[in-house]
Amino acid sequence: MRGAGSLVRRRPRRSPCRLLADAEAGRAAAGRDPRPGRGDPCLPLCGAGCRSRIKRGAVQRLAPCREGSLHLQRGGAAAGAVPGRLRRPHALRRRFRQRAPVLGPGTGRCFPAGSRSPQTEEGGLIVRIPFLRPNPARLSKLLPGLEAIEASGTFTNYGPVNSRFEAEATAKFFGGRGGCLTVNNATIGLMLALREAAGEAPRGATRYALMPSFTFAATAHAAIWAGLTPLLCDIDPDRWTPCARSEDALLERYAGQIAVVMPYATFGNGLDLDRYAALARRHGVGIVVDAAASLGSIDDSSQGFGTGFPHAIVYSMHATKTFATAEGGLIYCDDTERLARLRTMGNFGFGEPRTATMPGLNSKLSEAGALLALAKLEGFEQIVAHRAALADAYRHGLPGCRFQQVVGRQIAYQFMPVSMPADHPGPRAALLASLAAAGVAAGHYFSPHLAEQPYFQRVSEIAELPVTERVASRILSLPLADSMTVAEVEMVCAAVR
């Protein structure tokens, strides 16, 4: 019987149900309705693939299923009163079409991808401007390509779609110089490149990967998985990229023990790659550049960042990056022999048929992933230019804040990094709370930096980091997106001021 407090059974799914957002769950636990608000935002989706949207005016509550997840329940029954599988409310029998929602990393906020002004609720606060709005190409628009992949019978193993994307990416981003190798994510790409650059190690020897502490955890994790110990250096006070003096001092102090120098192109900013090529020759070290957010950045010579560099540069194609797919990464270098070694290592080290001749792992990108990347190439210059215009609006709207000194002609901004106003009276947490009250979601990358995280404190060598500590303590990450408008930037600036 389908009463106001009952649930309507839906067909079982293979995977257990899990919510993608925690905001509505928190409100349900407090006995309040999730309230969709204006813009009719999507429901949190379960891993079983529910695609129903809240119907305007329908009263919804959340009830736990047997797996412990929360699901929508229509009517006035208290949350948690009726266990069971996910069932569609009577008011939602009709199927509503919507774009699949995505989850801003670290925000716990669910919003439709590509929406101009999504609104969700967390802790009783309406989020009008999310931190990130991932915008990969729509698989639903790529059905002919997916059908062609099915017809070909090739789904991975450097297939034809992947090969086409590598060629077009080399032409588009690097003027046809060198070559590209796709990987299934940028962290795997870093591990692969580090292992190739470090070479074989004597048994029992401690070897270091020199990197900044002001970076994402994946940088250090990749080094550890490659058998190296992170050696953490300081950053430049203006560019927020690795400090040349700190790197030089550590190269002298740990002479003969550093296997790889691993600079991070912070927030997509440029680096002096000629200097790193010289360091490789002078100290006999490998170079791997972590350029996770740099795909689409332009250097001072109006070329794509990294063009012509003979060492491996690793870019991310994660859904939250400017060049958004789902999961994926790209390795570029202008050394055909190095690129061939990396490709072999990414296929289990099979230098001969089914025979490993070198270290290896499986780094291959699927054909479906390559199709998403291929589709993202179209119109990407306009996306980068739009984000750069939004960054300029931030600089104009926040004259009291300190911004990263740009190296190069253009940065492919993922979000807007900014140092808190010098005259701001309270701590960063208070400013973030103030932004949240104004409906603005923000972050603080990279705080804590690596040397402040317990695991890396145990396994790393850490230099003096005065600039890193100062920058990290005041860093803010403000919203930026393909669909964001200058008016929304002005709203954020007003909330910060």
Side-chain angles (χ1 to χ4, degrees), residues 122 165 226 242 266 315:
E122 181 167 326
F165 170 68
T266 313
Y315 306 85

Side-chain angles (χ1 to χ4, degrees), residues 92-122:
L92 296 177
R93 285 185 200 167
R94 184 168 62 86
R95 180 172 297 174
F96 292 92
R97 297 185 63 189
Q98 69 171 47
R99 284 177 287 184
V102 290
L103 189 64
T107 65
R109 299 181 178 95
C110 186
F111 47 85
S115 60
R116 183 166 295 277
S117 183
Q119 298 185 19
T120 57
E121 186 172 330
E122 181 167 326

Side-chain angles (χ1 to χ4, degrees), residues 296-323:
S297 292
I298 307 298
D299 66 17
D300 285 323
S301 62
S302 299
Q303 301 182 98
F305 172 73
T307 300
F309 193 59
H311 302 274
I313 304 180
V314 183
Y315 306 85
S316 176
M317 302 190 299
H318 187 268
T320 59
K321 293 294 188 290
T322 303
F323 193 86

Side-chain angles (χ1 to χ4, degrees), residues 5 9 17 64 396 480:
R9 182 175 299 276
C17 299
H396 177 75
L480 207 152

Side-chain angles (χ1 to χ4, degrees), residues 49-205:
C50 173
R51 289 294 183 269
S52 297
R53 186 194 290 263
I54 293 177
K55 185 174 181 180
R56 191 178 299 279
V59 177
Q60 308 290 335
R61 289 187 181 274
L62 292 165
C65 68
R66 293 187 187 121
E67 291 82 4
S69 300
L70 292 170
H71 292 293
L72 282 175
Q73 170 188 352
R74 185 174 185 270
V82 185
R85 293 181 178 270
L86 174 64
R87 305 176 184 182
R88 184 171 299 175
H90 181 74
L92 296 177
R93 285 185 200 167
R94 184 168 62 86
R95 180 172 297 174
F96 292 92
R97 297 185 63 189
Q98 69 171 47
R99 284 177 287 184
V102 290
L103 189 64
T107 65
R109 299 181 178 95
C110 186
F111 47 85
S115 60
R116 183 166 295 277
S117 183
Q119 298 185 19
T120 57
E121 186 172 330
E122 181 167 326
L125 299 175
I126 297 296
V127 180
R128 294 184 174 85
I129 302 179
F131 177 44
L132 297 173
R133 306 177 204 178
N135 189 31
R138 301 290 184 263
L139 275 172
S140 58
K141 304 295 185 183
L142 303 177
L143 291 179
L146 292 171
E147 290 171 350
I149 291 171
E150 290 180 342
S152 74
T154 301
F155 299 92
T156 185
N157 289 353
Y158 305 131
V161 180
N162 184 82
S163 298
R164 181 183 166 194
F165 170 68
E166 290 178 347
E168 293 195 17
T170 302
K172 187 179 190 72
F173 294 121
F174 310 106
R177 293 184 60 182
C180 289
L181 168 66
T182 59
V183 287
N184 44 32
N185 65 67
T187 306
I188 290 291
L190 289 172
M191 292 166 56
L192 195 69
L194 284 164
R195 190 68 181 84
E196 189 276 335
E200 297 294 334
R203 287 185 179 274

Side-chain angles (χ1 to χ4, degrees), residues 366-392:
S366 71
E367 287 286 88
L371 183 66
L372 278 170
L374 195 60
K376 191 65 181 181
L377 288 173
E378 185 177 352
F380 186 63
E381 298 94 336
Q382 289 73 32
I383 290 174
V384 175
H386 174 66
R387 285 173 173 256
L390 296 177
D392 288 342

Side-chain angles (χ1 to χ4, degrees), residues 374-435:
L374 195 60
K376 191 65 181 181
L377 288 173
E378 185 177 352
F380 186 63
E381 298 94 336
Q382 289 73 32
I383 290 174
V384 175
H386 174 66
R387 285 173 173 256
L390 296 177
D392 288 342
Y394 270 119
R395 292 176 186 273
H396 177 75
L398 294 173
C401 291
R402 186 179 181 189
F403 292 87
Q404 183 183 29
Q405 184 182 95
V406 174
V407 178
R409 296 282 181 88
Q410 184 171 266
I411 292 180
Y413 285 98
Q414 179 186 9
F415 47 77
M416 193 64 202
V418 57
S419 185
M420 281 174 53
D423 59 351
H424 191 270
R428 179 175 56 202
L431 180 53
L432 289 170
S434 175
L435 288 171

